Amino acid sequence: DAGVIQSPRHEVTEMGQEVTLRCKPISGHDYLFWYRQTMMRGLELLIYFNNNVPIDDSGMPEDRFSAKMPNASFSTLKIQPSEPRDSAVYFCASRGGQGNTDTQYFGPGTRLTVL
Amino acid sequence: QKEVEQNSGPLSVPEGAIASLNCTYSDRVSQSFFWYRQYSGKSPELIMSIYSNGDKEDGRFTAQLNKASQYVSLLIRDSQPSDSATYLCAVYTGGGNKLTFGTGTQLKVEL
């Protein structure tokens, strides 16, 4: 299996611009999670989906953040407008399938820098 | 009180020694516990999962769980320089699907 795929791997943008991060979960997994990691706050859950439906978005910091999952193989995390404090590494993770279903597998992450 | 607490380290051990990493959690109903390893600039990767009280061994790694004390630990035997990384403790909290991570313990294995 290819694992969780994220794009882009690096993104540098200017304050005020729209940023879209993309994620393809592992095939057959029915949960998808978006995390943000910073030195100050560690790894934080932003939102998660089950069967393409958003279940808990309480970690989304502001209305500037939105996430969608139009189908089982694709999700986006959008920041509009972006701010320098959004600079972080954003990870997507998925879980599910046969056997052990509660282990989360992480993608390589997107390192976002907002200037 | 944080939901999942770890000593940030760094924890330095000589090559070949046993590294002991500790984690405490606050949610008494938690049932699933995980250790992830994260190399600098990389994503977290699963090392061990544990669900029952006691020890679980996998190669050089042993996870220990004590639900009464709300304590999880990871032992790494015969530590190698390649084990140098940040180790994240993670616990499902709130009875649901939220995996809460500790801030991680940085391990340095010295030659």
Side-chain angles (χ1 to χ4, degrees):
Chain A
D1 199 318
V4 177
I5 298 172
Q6 291 187 248
S7 66
R9 296 292 304 276
H10 302 272
E11 176 81 30
V12 180
T13 190
E14 292 187 348
M15 182 174 62
Q17 297 298 305
E18 178 179 293
V19 176
T20 300
L21 311 181
R22 298 172 177 80
C23 175
K24 176 179 169 56
I26 293 172
S27 177
H29 282 190
D30 54 354
Y31 283 88
L32 183 140
F33 305 83
W34 282 101
Y35 291 89
R36 177 172 68 176
Q37 187 174 38
T38 61
M39 289 293 292
M40 291 296 295
R41 300 175 66 89
L43 197 56
E44 303 174 282
L45 177 66
L46 300 177
I47 184 172
Y48 77 90
F49 296 82
N50 178 220
N51 291 322
N52 314 336
V53 177
I55 302 300
D56 185 348
D57 65 355
S58 60
M60 296 284 261
E62 301 172 31
D63 291 345
R64 298 184 297 105
F65 286 69
S66 63
K68 294 181 179 180
M69 191 165 186
N71 57 62
S73 59
F74 183 66
S75 177
T76 60
L77 178 67
K78 186 175 293 186
I79 307 172
Q80 167 62 20
S82 58
E83 296 182 3
R85 59 189 168 132
D86 302 330
S87 298
V89 180
Y90 291 81
F91 289 106
C92 176
S94 71
R95 69 169 244 212
Q98 299 293 327
N100 185 340
T101 61
D102 68 354
T103 297
Q104 293 188 21
Y105 297 91
F106 283 76
T110 296
R111 183 174 295 276
L112 173 65
T113 302
V114 183
L115 303 175
Chain B
Q1 181 186 6
K2 293 182 179 178
E3 291 183 283
V4 180
E5 294 203 53
Q6 296 180 254
N7 188 320
S8 61
L11 172 66
S12 294
V13 300
E15 184 178 6
I18 296 175
S20 178
L21 306 166
N22 304 314
C23 171
T24 58
Y25 61 94
S26 60
D27 188 343
R28 288 191 168 274
V29 302
S30 296
Q31 297 294 322
S32 303
F33 307 87
F34 305 85
W35 283 100
Y36 283 81
R37 178 177 63 198
Q38 187 174 26
Y39 292 113
S40 181
K42 302 295 185 182
S43 59
E45 58 175 325
L46 182 71
I47 297 296
M48 295 279 288
S49 59
I50 187 167
Y51 305 94
S52 303
N53 280 328
D55 295 359
K56 179 182 178 183
E57 187 174 319
D58 184 1
R60 296 186 296 111
F61 299 95
T62 299
Q64 299 175 319
L65 175 60
N66 183 324
K67 291 183 180 179
S69 299
Q70 296 174 242
Y71 178 91
V72 191
S73 65
L74 179 70
L75 301 178
I76 306 175
R77 290 181 300 281
D78 188 25
S79 296
Q80 301 297 310
S82 59
D83 295 326
S84 297
T86 296
Y87 289 80
L88 301 166
C89 174
V91 179
Y92 274 112
T93 58
N97 296 298
K98 180 181 179 182
L99 190 60
T100 300
F101 286 81
T103 53
T105 298
Q106 184 183 6
L107 173 66
K108 294 184 177 181
V109 180
E110 299 169 333
L111 295 171

